[in-house]
Amino acid sequence: MDGDPLPPDPAGFPDPAERWGLSSHVGRTAEIAEGARLLGARRLVTLTGPGGVGKSRLADRVAAHAADRFPDGRAVVELAGLREPAMVAEVVAHQLIQHDRSPRPALEVVVDHLRDRALLLVLDNCEHLVGACADLVRALARGCPRVAVLATSRQSLGVDGERVLPVPPLAVPGEGPLPVAALVEVDAVRLFVDRAQAVVPAFAVTGDNAADVAEVCRRLEGLPLAIELAAVRIRALSAGQLAERLTRSLPTLTAGSRTAPQRQHTLRATLDWSSGLCSPSERRVWARASVFSGTFDLDAAEHVCAGPDGGGGPDDVLAAIDGLLDKSVLTREEHDGVARYRMSGAVREYGAERLESAGERAAVARLHRDWFAVVADRFAAAWLGPDQLTWVRRLWRDQPNFRVATEYCVSTPGEAVVAVRMGLAMMHHWTLHGLLSEARMWMDRALPGIPDDAPERGTALWLAGLSALGQTDVPAAAAHLTAAGAVAKQHGDRALRARVASTWGIASVYGGELAAARTLLDKALTVFRTRDDLVPDRLFALVFAAQALGLSGDTEGAKALLTEGTALSRACGEHYFRGWLLYARARVSLAEGDWAEAESTGRQALRAQWDLGNRFTAAFTTELLATAAAKAGSAEQAAFLFGVAGGIWALMGSSPDAYPAIGTTHTTEVEAVRAELGRTRYDQAYARGLRTSPTAALRPTPAATPRGTLTKRELEIAALVAEGLTNRDIAERLVIARRTAESHVDHILRKLNLTNRSQIAAWISTRP
């Protein structure tokens, strides 16, 4: 995601290559063409086949080849690490909308968001969530006529109109001898050679080893995962030795049988064979690492995989991971200079079976939960500081693991209180990324397991109320906050009482009840100022207390509070609240009639907000910039910015009307700008802003000072970059070499005096 801690902007979905590292795609020409053809005729195409047959990679390639039919792009949603069917719509909504602020059911939000879009939705690994995926697809079929779904699953979804495309294994050589030149063109052999050369670059098919290579591919039934697991053994074995060992290790298969059960038998036998080649430590780490969801780092592996029985320490875990990487059981990727590891679905399932048979599943799941509870606490302690961005990114990457850990808490007797403690520690993670529906769900599921006299009960109610308020679900927020206040009073919990008062105060600011807001926030600040552990609460209260004063006309009082907050933010070295404080300061300048200062400070606020990807605050700030432009007499720019803001509000499933203090100003200014420009000019400028990617329109970028004119081909490639295509995608689209595409992109960056692909997208957005 190019370092962006947030889910990708809808204008540029994640590069599918990120899921496969540097490994190349091999074969599947006919299947790719057929899949793309079916997507032109059907609304739902499901790629089916056993684990390890290559469904996910094929889906990526089919989606890339069908991209021209979907002007609104494609969204890839990985479901392999999701355990809870109720979360399917939530995860899809968050992938599409990113910062959902709507209180409506996630399925309804997804359908509404996609109603008028022509988009391809890829649902990867649906087999364990078939019912929930089928419900989603049916809703999309009814309400989104231009959306198509490409699913991968070991079974069909069972939805009317579904077209199932079975994914066969790769073609294997026949029994008779083939010339080397012909043999290396067979798909299974091509894959074997590609993966073998990754570990032994000099490996090649020759007349001496051709028969052995062909036998290996036949023995493995053309299953891509099985071939990859075997090919890495070329580091230690010749092709002949590998063929001989596979003949002994894998049972003889029925000649010519290509049934799914037979292929599953082959994959199972290959996994058994691979496991047999592992050391006891490697087998233990393989089994225990199966509890992770998505990716995990070495620190997590050392805690979870060293084991509750003392069987192997951290050094042994590192050695085992190194061995599992060599054997292709794990794959490696790197983010912010930290290596992370991933298992494919079939490999993970095999490990989970071994963990269950060893009787260790419950103990290792507890270790997994304990580790991520510690990570959550470390985030809470460190994120309000100079390492804030690093921690934000880290928690986002571990989000699938936090879901698994929280699920353990709410489904295991006596552990619900830990879910609440984790929720409190991760509160700013949830709010920053717009995971409000998820936060509410976890707290609602935790509450029945928390004793009435436990202090965590009040915290769970407050977190649920805060999340509901963030979605402008006022009735639910009021019910939860009222109950939380009662618990706080019962236990004499001053911190919780202050948090509840502060949340009511924030609600009052948004609702335009400024006198009540000032009273509530002053009361909360009295407590927050006395506690070092409540600094984040103090900063948030200062932001909204200043807004309440500014909107009431007491701009000097507002400035005093903002000065206090800014000094505190600077002392911490953080960015999140700095963005909020700058936004509040810009609002004060707006109230004072200093349009230039409001615009300048608003731009500073956006820079701070984009550092962390805080698009919720960016929506408010863009509204403010539009108002400042209108007040300064730049009506066309104001209309454009209202359009950009409208796009951000739509991404969140919300609007200014949900916040009366903002909505009233919005309506007044829009009417004034429309009257000045006339409806046609206003609508054109607004539509231009609405069409512009928020990232391109608002992310601060250096002005492009072209050193030369782009050629026609470079303009074409720049436009594809702006669509979110990778160099590999561009090469496939234009039928050119990947290196040629890379060269063109480098030339574009140099000519435009830019440094990254996002800036190319921003430059393209300014062109007619």
Side-chain angles (χ1 to χ4, degrees):
M1 290 188 289
D2 295 330
D4 190 342
L6 290 173
D9 187 277
F13 287 108
D15 180 359
E18 288 186 6
R19 296 202 285 166
W20 312 118
L22 299 178
S23 62
S24 58
H25 298 289
V26 173
R28 302 292 197 197
T29 303
E31 291 92 338
I32 292 168
E34 178 63 5
R37 185 190 70 78
L38 288 174
L39 279 175
R42 298 296 180 112
R43 300 277 305 286
L44 169 62
V45 176
T46 304
L47 307 181
T48 61
V53 81
K55 300 182 294 295
S56 297
R57 293 196 191 205
L58 178 58
D60 284 332
R61 299 185 70 191
V62 170
H65 280 258
D68 288 343
R69 302 192 189 115
F70 302 97
D72 291 309
R74 55 180 159 138
V76 180
V77 182
E78 295 186 59
L79 300 173
L82 195 63
R83 314 288 173 87
E84 176 56 57
M87 287 291 297
V88 168
E90 294 284 353
V91 172
V92 173
H94 199 256
Q95 176 74 0
L96 294 169
I97 303 170
Q98 305 171 30
H99 281 63
D100 180 23
R101 297 280 167 171
S102 169
R104 295 177 297 159
L107 185 57
E108 183 181 325
V109 170
V110 169
V111 171
D112 192 52
H113 180 75
L114 294 178
R115 193 176 305 282
D116 299 318
R117 287 177 166 83
L119 178 136
L120 175 61
L121 178 62
V122 181
L123 299 177
D124 195 18
N125 294 296
C126 299
E127 53 273 349
H128 60 304
L129 302 163
V130 166
C133 291
D135 290 341
L136 171 68
V137 171
R138 290 189 189 99
L140 292 174
R142 288 192 300 267
C144 308
R146 301 171 66 204
V147 170
V149 176
L150 177 63
T152 73
S153 178
R154 295 182 192 178
Q155 66 182 89
S156 67
L157 301 188
V159 176
D160 289 344
E162 176 183 23
R163 181 61 184 267
V164 175
L165 179 61
V167 179
L170 296 173
V172 299
E175 292 293 338
L178 277 177
V180 170
L183 182 64
V184 296
E185 292 302 314
V186 178
D187 284 348
V189 175
R190 288 177 59 201
L191 178 63
F192 180 86
V193 171
D194 182 86
R195 301 307 188 254
Q197 288 178 342
V199 295
V200 180
F203 177 81
V205 179
T206 66
D208 293 332
N209 67 13
D212 294 319
V213 170
E215 178 61 22
V216 168
C217 293
R218 283 194 296 269
R219 177 64 55 180
L220 297 175
E221 288 280 278
L223 281 169
L225 177 58
I227 291 171
E228 292 184 359
L229 290 170
V232 296
R233 305 305 298 172
I234 285 295
R235 174 181 288 160
L237 304 172
S238 69
Q241 290 172 312
L242 180 58
E244 190 272 334
R245 279 162 173 73
L246 283 174
T247 300
R248 284 192 284 111
S249 300
L250 271 65
T252 302
L253 304 176
T254 304
S257 172
R258 310 299 289 175
T259 63
Q262 186 65 70
R263 293 197 297 271
Q264 291 166 1
H265 186 66
T266 301
L267 180 61
R268 179 61 185 229
T270 306
L271 289 166
D272 284 338
W273 174 71
S274 295
S275 177
L277 296 173
C278 292
S279 68
S281 177
E282 289 169 351
R283 285 194 291 271
R284 182 175 60 248
V285 170
W286 181 347
R288 292 177 177 174
S290 68
V291 299
F292 291 107
S293 181
T295 64
F296 57 95
D297 62 19
L298 180 60
D299 289 342
E302 287 175 344
H303 180 86
V304 173
C305 300
D309 56 3
D315 290 343
D316 297 312
V317 172
L318 176 58
I321 285 177
D322 190 49
L324 294 173
L325 288 167
D326 280 344
K327 297 175 180 65
S328 288
V329 173
L330 293 176
T331 57
R332 178 188 183 278
E333 53 195 66
E334 188 170 314
H335 301 278
D336 290 341
V338 176
R340 295 182 69 87
Y341 313 104
R342 183 189 296 271
M343 282 184 179
S344 72
V347 171
R348 188 191 307 277
E349 288 174 13
Y350 183 87
E353 289 178 12
R354 289 303 181 96
L355 189 67
E356 184 72 38
S357 64
E360 291 190 322
R361 185 186 63 80
V364 175
R366 174 65 177 262
L367 283 170
H368 177 277
R369 192 286 309 276
D370 289 347
W371 173 255
F372 286 101
V374 168
V375 172
D377 286 340
R378 290 171 62 191
F379 167 76
W383 93 285
L384 196 68
D387 296 327
Q388 191 174 71
L389 181 56
T390 299
W391 274 102
V392 166
R393 287 173 172 164
R394 176 173 181 176
L395 256 68
W396 177 248
R397 293 188 189 107
D398 272 325
Q399 177 60 23
N401 283 304
F402 282 113
R403 287 187 178 123
V404 172
T406 312
E407 174 66 33
Y408 173 90
C409 293
V410 299
S411 60
T412 304
E415 299 295 331
V417 293
V418 183
V420 179
R421 294 170 195 155
M422 289 177 65
L424 179 61
M426 295 169 61
M427 175 186 66
H428 293 294
H429 165 72
W430 281 340
T431 56
L432 177 62
H433 293 300
L435 297 167
L436 301 180
S437 293
E438 185 169 343
R440 293 176 67 178
M441 181 194 75
W442 291 128
M443 293 303 100
D444 286 343
R445 289 187 61 186
L447 277 166
I450 302 174
D452 290 341
D453 59 349
E456 287 84 3
R457 186 169 190 82
T459 301
L461 289 163
W462 170 66
L463 287 170
L466 179 67
S467 301
L469 178 63
Q471 294 182 308
T472 64
D473 186 352
V474 176
H480 282 106
L481 291 175
T482 299
V487 173
K489 184 176 181 180
Q490 174 188 347
H491 290 280
D493 189 335
R494 294 184 70 233
L496 180 57
R497 293 181 72 175
R499 282 171 165 157
V500 171
S502 178
T503 306
W504 279 120
I506 292 169
S508 299
V509 172
Y510 284 141
E513 299 172 357
L514 303 179
R518 293 197 302 272
T519 300
L520 289 162
L521 290 164
D522 283 346
K523 178 181 177 182
L525 281 167
T526 300
V527 177
F528 295 154
R529 287 184 174 116
T530 65
R531 297 268 297 266
D532 290 341
D533 60 326
L534 299 178
V535 170
D537 301 271
R538 178 181 168 190
L539 282 165
F540 226 176
L542 286 169
V543 166
F544 285 93
Q547 289 187 63
L549 289 175
L551 291 168
S552 302
D554 184 1
T555 56
E556 292 305 316
K559 290 177 185 178
L561 292 179
L562 293 173
T563 298
E564 176 188 348
T566 300
L568 191 56
S569 172
R570 285 176 176 166
C572 295
E574 65 87 42
H575 292 271
Y576 176 69
F577 289 108
R578 179 170 174 265
W580 272 108
L581 289 159
L582 285 166
Y583 162 73
R585 181 66 182 84
R587 285 201 65 85
V588 170
S589 297
L590 204 61
E592 291 180 325
D594 191 340
W595 321 133
E597 179 64 25
E599 196 272 343
S600 174
T601 308
R603 289 287 174 182
Q604 292 179 55
L606 276 177
R607 282 193 289 274
Q609 290 153 14
W610 279 118
D611 283 345
L612 289 172
N614 186 357
R615 299 185 183 183
F616 180 57
T617 318
F620 289 101
T621 306
T622 309
E623 284 284 334
L624 181 146
L625 289 171
T627 300
K631 297 290 189 183
S634 301
E636 187 119 8
Q637 175 71 358
F640 171 77
L641 288 171
F642 277 129
V644 174
I648 304 176
W649 288 117
L651 288 177
M652 299 189 297
S654 188
S655 74
D657 294 336
Y659 308 92
I662 305 299
T664 301
T665 301
H666 170 84
T667 301
T668 300
E669 294 302 329
V670 165
E671 289 175 353
V673 172
R674 184 183 285 120
E676 181 174 345
L677 292 177
R679 180 172 294 276
T680 300
R681 285 181 62 198
Y682 176 87
D683 289 348
Q684 289 173 344
Y686 183 91
R688 183 164 53 87
L690 194 61
R691 288 193 306 269
T692 303
S693 157
T695 300
L698 298 174
R699 187 191 297 272
T701 57
T705 54
R707 295 169 176 164
T709 303
L710 298 189
T711 65
K712 182 178 180 181
R713 175 63 100 180
E714 287 168 347
L715 280 170
E716 182 180 20
I717 289 175
L720 294 177
V721 170
E723 288 181 25
L725 272 66
T726 65
N727 289 340
R728 181 187 290 116
D729 293 335
I730 292 170
E732 291 182 357
R733 176 81 67 87
L734 301 180
V735 196
I736 59 177
R738 181 175 179 179
R739 189 174 297 277
T740 301
E742 291 171 350
S743 178
H744 278 305
V745 173
D746 286 341
H747 290 161
I748 292 166
L749 290 169
R750 284 199 298 273
K751 285 186 176 183
L752 298 180
N753 194 26
L754 301 176
T755 59
N756 59 54
R757 299 169 81 91
S758 295
Q759 293 174 357
I760 294 176
W763 182 81
I764 282 289
S765 73
T766 66
R767 296 177 57 81

